[in-house]
CSV table of all heavy atoms in Angstrom, one decimal:
chain,number,residue,atom,x,y,z
A,1460,HIS,N,-20.3,-2.9,11.3
A,1460,HIS,CA,-20.2,-1.5,10.8
A,1460,HIS,C,-21.0,-1.3,9.5
A,1460,HIS,O,-20.7,-1.9,8.5
A,1460,HIS,CB,-18.7,-1.2,10.5
A,1460,HIS,CG,-17.9,-1.2,11.7
A,1460,HIS,ND1,-17.8,-0.2,12.6
A,1460,HIS,CD2,-17.0,-2.2,12.2
A,1460,HIS,CE1,-17.0,-0.5,13.6
A,1460,HIS,NE2,-16.5,-1.7,13.3
A,1461,THR,N,-22.1,-0.5,9.6
A,1461,THR,CA,-23.0,-0.3,8.5
A,1461,THR,C,-22.5,0.8,7.6
A,1461,THR,O,-23.0,1.0,6.5
A,1461,THR,CB,-24.4,0.0,9.0
A,1461,THR,OG1,-24.3,1.2,9.8
A,1461,THR,CG2,-25.0,-1.2,9.8
A,1462,ASP,N,-21.4,1.5,8.0
A,1462,ASP,CA,-20.9,2.6,7.2
A,1462,ASP,C,-19.9,2.2,6.2
A,1462,ASP,O,-19.4,3.0,5.4
A,1462,ASP,CB,-20.4,3.8,8.0
A,1462,ASP,CG,-19.3,3.3,8.9
A,1462,ASP,OD1,-19.2,2.1,9.2
A,1462,ASP,OD2,-18.5,4.2,9.4
A,1463,VAL,N,-19.5,0.9,6.1
A,1463,VAL,CA,-18.5,0.4,5.2
A,1463,VAL,C,-19.2,-0.7,4.3
A,1463,VAL,O,-19.8,-1.6,4.8
A,1463,VAL,CB,-17.3,-0.3,6.0
A,1463,VAL,CG1,-16.4,-0.9,5.0
A,1463,VAL,CG2,-16.6,0.8,6.8
A,1464,ASP,N,-19.0,-0.5,3.0
A,1464,ASP,CA,-19.6,-1.5,2.1
A,1464,ASP,C,-18.6,-2.7,2.0
A,1464,ASP,O,-17.5,-2.5,1.5
A,1464,ASP,CB,-19.7,-0.8,0.7
A,1464,ASP,CG,-20.3,-1.8,-0.3
A,1464,ASP,OD1,-20.5,-3.0,0.0
A,1464,ASP,OD2,-20.4,-1.3,-1.5
A,1465,PRO,N,-19.0,-3.9,2.5
A,1465,PRO,CA,-18.1,-5.0,2.5
A,1465,PRO,C,-17.7,-5.5,1.1
A,1465,PRO,O,-16.7,-6.1,0.9
A,1465,PRO,CB,-18.8,-6.1,3.3
A,1465,PRO,CG,-20.3,-5.7,3.3
A,1465,PRO,CD,-20.3,-4.2,3.1
A,1466,ALA,N,-18.5,-5.1,0.1
A,1466,ALA,CA,-18.2,-5.5,-1.3
A,1466,ALA,C,-17.1,-4.6,-1.9
A,1466,ALA,O,-16.4,-5.0,-2.8
A,1466,ALA,CB,-19.4,-5.4,-2.2
A,1467,ASP,N,-16.9,-3.4,-1.3
A,1467,ASP,CA,-15.9,-2.5,-1.8
A,1467,ASP,C,-15.3,-1.7,-0.6
A,1467,ASP,O,-15.5,-0.5,-0.4
A,1467,ASP,CB,-16.6,-1.5,-2.8
A,1467,ASP,CG,-15.6,-0.6,-3.4
A,1467,ASP,OD1,-14.4,-1.0,-3.6
A,1467,ASP,OD2,-15.9,0.6,-3.8
A,1468,PRO,N,-14.5,-2.5,0.2
A,1468,PRO,CA,-13.9,-1.8,1.3
A,1468,PRO,C,-12.8,-0.8,0.9
A,1468,PRO,O,-12.3,-0.9,-0.1
A,1468,PRO,CB,-13.2,-3.0,2.1
A,1468,PRO,CG,-13.0,-4.0,1.0
A,1468,PRO,CD,-14.1,-3.8,0.0
A,1469,PRO,N,-12.7,0.2,1.8
A,1469,PRO,CA,-11.7,1.3,1.4
A,1469,PRO,C,-10.3,0.7,1.4
A,1469,PRO,O,-9.9,-0.2,2.2
A,1469,PRO,CB,-11.8,2.3,2.5
A,1469,PRO,CG,-12.5,1.6,3.6
A,1469,PRO,CD,-13.3,0.5,3.0
A,1470,LYS,N,-9.4,1.2,0.5
A,1470,LYS,CA,-8.0,0.8,0.5
A,1470,LYS,C,-7.3,1.7,1.5
A,1470,LYS,O,-7.6,2.9,1.7
A,1470,LYS,CB,-7.4,1.0,-0.9
A,1470,LYS,CG,-8.1,0.2,-2.0
A,1470,LYS,CD,-7.7,-1.2,-1.9
A,1470,LYS,CE,-8.2,-1.9,-3.1
A,1470,LYS,NZ,-8.5,-3.3,-2.8
A,1471,LEU,N,-6.4,1.1,2.3
A,1471,LEU,CA,-5.6,1.8,3.3
A,1471,LEU,C,-4.1,1.8,2.9
A,1471,LEU,O,-3.6,0.7,2.7
A,1471,LEU,CB,-5.8,1.2,4.7
A,1471,LEU,CG,-5.0,1.8,5.8
A,1471,LEU,CD1,-5.5,3.2,6.1
A,1471,LEU,CD2,-5.1,1.0,7.0
A,1472,ARG,N,-3.5,2.9,2.8
A,1472,ARG,CA,-2.1,3.0,2.5
A,1472,ARG,C,-1.4,2.9,3.9
A,1472,ARG,O,-1.8,3.5,4.8
A,1472,ARG,CB,-1.7,4.3,1.8
A,1472,ARG,CG,-2.3,4.4,0.5
A,1472,ARG,CD,-1.9,5.8,-0.2
A,1472,ARG,NE,-2.4,6.9,0.6
A,1472,ARG,CZ,-1.6,7.9,1.1
A,1472,ARG,NH1,-0.3,7.9,0.8
A,1472,ARG,NH2,-2.1,8.8,1.8
A,1473,ARG,N,-0.4,2.0,3.9
A,1473,ARG,CA,0.5,2.0,5.1
A,1473,ARG,C,1.9,2.4,4.8
A,1473,ARG,O,2.6,1.7,4.1
A,1473,ARG,CB,0.5,0.5,5.7
A,1473,ARG,CG,-0.7,0.1,6.4
A,1473,ARG,CD,-0.6,-1.3,6.9
A,1473,ARG,NE,-0.6,-2.2,5.8
A,1473,ARG,CZ,0.3,-3.2,5.7
A,1473,ARG,NH1,1.2,-3.4,6.6
A,1473,ARG,NH2,0.3,-4.0,4.6
A,1474,GLU,N,2.3,3.6,5.2
A,1474,GLU,CA,3.6,4.1,5.0
A,1474,GLU,C,4.4,3.6,6.2
A,1474,GLU,O,4.1,3.9,7.4
A,1474,GLU,CB,3.6,5.6,4.9
A,1474,GLU,CG,4.9,6.2,4.6
A,1474,GLU,CD,4.9,7.7,4.5
A,1474,GLU,OE1,4.2,8.3,5.3
A,1474,GLU,OE2,5.6,8.2,3.6
A,1475,CYS,N,5.5,2.9,6.0
A,1475,CYS,CA,6.4,2.4,7.1
A,1475,CYS,C,7.7,3.0,7.0
A,1475,CYS,O,8.5,2.8,6.1
A,1475,CYS,CB,6.5,0.9,6.9
A,1475,CYS,SG,4.9,0.1,6.8
A,1476,LEU,N,8.0,3.9,8.0
A,1476,LEU,CA,9.2,4.8,8.0
A,1476,LEU,C,10.1,4.3,9.2
A,1476,LEU,O,9.6,3.7,10.1
A,1476,LEU,CB,8.8,6.2,8.2
A,1476,LEU,CG,7.8,6.8,7.2
A,1476,LEU,CD1,7.4,8.2,7.5
A,1476,LEU,CD2,8.4,6.7,5.8
A,1477,VAL,N,11.3,4.7,9.1
A,1477,VAL,CA,12.3,4.3,10.1
A,1477,VAL,C,13.1,5.5,10.6
A,1477,VAL,O,13.7,6.2,9.8
A,1477,VAL,CB,13.3,3.2,9.7
A,1477,VAL,CG1,14.2,2.8,10.8
A,1477,VAL,CG2,12.5,2.0,9.1
A,1478,LEU,N,13.0,5.8,11.9
A,1478,LEU,CA,13.8,6.8,12.5
A,1478,LEU,C,15.1,6.3,13.0
A,1478,LEU,O,15.1,5.4,13.9
A,1478,LEU,CB,13.0,7.5,13.6
A,1478,LEU,CG,13.8,8.6,14.4
A,1478,LEU,CD1,13.8,9.9,13.5
A,1478,LEU,CD2,13.1,8.9,15.7
A,1479,ILE,N,16.2,6.7,12.5
A,1479,ILE,CA,17.5,6.3,12.9
A,1479,ILE,C,18.3,7.5,13.2
A,1479,ILE,O,18.3,8.5,12.4
A,1479,ILE,CB,18.3,5.4,11.8
A,1479,ILE,CG1,17.5,4.1,11.6
A,1479,ILE,CG2,19.7,5.2,12.2
A,1479,ILE,CD1,18.2,3.2,10.6
A,1480,ARG,N,19.1,7.5,14.3
A,1480,ARG,CA,19.9,8.6,14.7
A,1480,ARG,C,21.4,8.2,14.7
A,1480,ARG,O,21.6,7.0,14.9
A,1480,ARG,CB,19.5,9.2,16.0
A,1480,ARG,CG,18.2,9.9,15.9
A,1480,ARG,CD,17.9,10.7,17.1
A,1480,ARG,NE,17.2,9.8,18.1
A,1480,ARG,CZ,16.8,10.3,19.3
A,1480,ARG,NH1,17.0,11.5,19.6
A,1480,ARG,NH2,16.2,9.4,20.2
A,1481,ASP,N,22.3,9.1,14.6
A,1481,ASP,CA,23.7,8.8,14.8
A,1481,ASP,C,24.1,9.2,16.2
A,1481,ASP,O,23.2,9.6,17.0
A,1481,ASP,CB,24.6,9.5,13.8
A,1481,ASP,CG,24.7,11.0,13.9
A,1481,ASP,OD1,24.1,11.6,14.9
A,1481,ASP,OD2,25.3,11.6,13.0
A,1482,GLY,N,25.3,9.0,16.6
A,1482,GLY,CA,25.8,9.3,18.0
A,1482,GLY,C,25.7,10.7,18.4
A,1482,GLY,O,25.8,11.1,19.5
A,1483,HIS,N,25.5,11.6,17.4
A,1483,HIS,CA,25.4,13.1,17.7
A,1483,HIS,C,23.9,13.5,17.7
A,1483,HIS,O,23.7,14.7,17.8
A,1483,HIS,CB,26.2,13.9,16.6
A,1483,HIS,CG,27.6,13.4,16.5
A,1483,HIS,ND1,28.5,13.7,17.5
A,1483,HIS,CD2,28.2,12.7,15.6
A,1483,HIS,CE1,29.7,13.2,17.2
A,1483,HIS,NE2,29.5,12.5,16.0
A,1484,GLY,N,23.0,12.6,17.4
A,1484,GLY,CA,21.6,13.0,17.4
A,1484,GLY,C,21.0,13.4,16.1
A,1484,GLY,O,19.8,13.7,16.0
A,1485,ALA,N,21.8,13.3,15.0
A,1485,ALA,CA,21.3,13.6,13.7
A,1485,ALA,C,20.4,12.5,13.2
A,1485,ALA,O,20.6,11.3,13.6
A,1485,ALA,CB,22.5,13.8,12.7
A,1486,VAL,N,19.4,12.9,12.4
A,1486,VAL,CA,18.4,11.9,11.8
A,1486,VAL,C,18.9,11.5,10.4
A,1486,VAL,O,19.2,12.4,9.6
A,1486,VAL,CB,17.1,12.6,11.8
A,1486,VAL,CG1,16.0,11.7,11.2
A,1486,VAL,CG2,16.6,13.0,13.2
A,1487,LEU,N,18.8,10.2,10.1
A,1487,LEU,CA,19.1,9.8,8.8
A,1487,LEU,C,17.9,10.1,7.9
A,1487,LEU,O,16.7,9.7,8.2
A,1487,LEU,CB,19.3,8.3,8.8
A,1487,LEU,CG,19.7,7.6,7.5
A,1487,LEU,CD1,21.1,8.2,7.0
A,1487,LEU,CD2,19.9,6.1,7.6
A,1488,MET,N,18.1,10.7,6.7
A,1488,MET,CA,17.1,11.1,5.8
A,1488,MET,C,17.5,10.7,4.4
A,1488,MET,O,18.7,10.7,4.1
A,1488,MET,CB,16.7,12.6,5.9
A,1488,MET,CG,16.2,12.9,7.3
A,1488,MET,SD,15.6,14.6,7.5
A,1488,MET,CE,14.0,14.5,6.6
A,1489,VAL,N,16.5,10.5,3.5
A,1489,VAL,CA,16.7,10.2,2.1
A,1489,VAL,C,16.0,11.2,1.3
A,1489,VAL,O,14.9,11.8,1.7
A,1489,VAL,CB,16.3,8.8,1.7
A,1489,VAL,CG1,17.1,7.7,2.5
A,1489,VAL,CG2,14.8,8.5,2.0
A,1490,LYS,N,16.4,11.5,0.0
A,1490,LYS,CA,15.8,12.4,-0.9
A,1490,LYS,C,15.2,11.6,-2.1
A,1490,LYS,O,16.0,11.3,-3.0
A,1490,LYS,CB,16.7,13.5,-1.3
A,1490,LYS,CG,16.0,14.5,-2.2
A,1490,LYS,CD,16.8,15.8,-2.2
A,1490,LYS,CE,16.1,16.9,-3.1
A,1490,LYS,NZ,14.8,17.2,-2.7
A,1491,PRO,N,13.9,11.4,-2.1
A,1491,PRO,CA,13.3,10.7,-3.3
A,1491,PRO,C,13.4,11.6,-4.5
A,1491,PRO,O,13.3,12.8,-4.4
A,1491,PRO,CB,11.9,10.4,-2.9
A,1491,PRO,CG,11.9,10.6,-1.4
A,1491,PRO,CD,13.0,11.6,-1.0
A,1492,LYS,N,13.5,11.0,-5.7
A,1492,LYS,CA,13.4,11.7,-6.9
A,1492,LYS,C,12.0,12.2,-7.3
A,1492,LYS,O,11.9,13.2,-8.0
A,1492,LYS,CB,14.0,10.9,-8.1
A,1492,LYS,CG,15.5,10.7,-8.0
A,1492,LYS,CD,16.0,9.9,-9.2
A,1492,LYS,CE,17.5,9.9,-9.1
A,1492,LYS,NZ,18.1,9.1,-10.3
A,1493,HIS,N,11.0,11.5,-6.9
A,1493,HIS,CA,9.6,11.7,-7.3
A,1493,HIS,C,8.9,12.8,-6.4
A,1493,HIS,O,7.8,13.2,-6.8
A,1493,HIS,CB,8.8,10.4,-7.3
A,1493,HIS,CG,8.6,9.8,-6.0
A,1493,HIS,ND1,9.6,9.1,-5.3
A,1493,HIS,CD2,7.5,9.9,-5.1
A,1493,HIS,CE1,9.1,8.7,-4.2
A,1493,HIS,NE2,7.9,9.2,-4.0
A,1494,THR,N,9.5,13.2,-5.3
A,1494,THR,CA,8.9,14.2,-4.5
A,1494,THR,C,9.9,15.3,-4.0
A,1494,THR,O,11.1,15.0,-4.1
A,1494,THR,CB,8.2,13.6,-3.2
A,1494,THR,OG1,9.3,13.0,-2.4
A,1494,THR,CG2,7.2,12.5,-3.5
């Protein structure tokens, strides 16, 4: 790949989320303080 500088490769963020439901189909969610 000539479009990527091997000396300075791009940083990639990997956000890893989990979808959990209860027996009624509700989704478990959290409320972060920073967003």
Side-chain angles (χ1 to χ4, degrees):
H1460 295 281
T1461 58
D1462 59 339
V1463 174
D1464 179 1
D1467 186 27
K1470 299 285 187 211
L1471 176 71
R1472 294 179 301 126
R1473 284 179 296 130
E1474 182 180 41
C1475 304
L1476 307 173
V1477 183
L1478 177 73
I1479 294 181
R1480 293 190 272 183
D1481 69 5
H1483 305 288
V1486 177
L1487 184 64
M1488 298 184 76
V1489 297
K1490 183 161 179 59
K1492 288 184 176 181
H1493 68 279
T1494 63

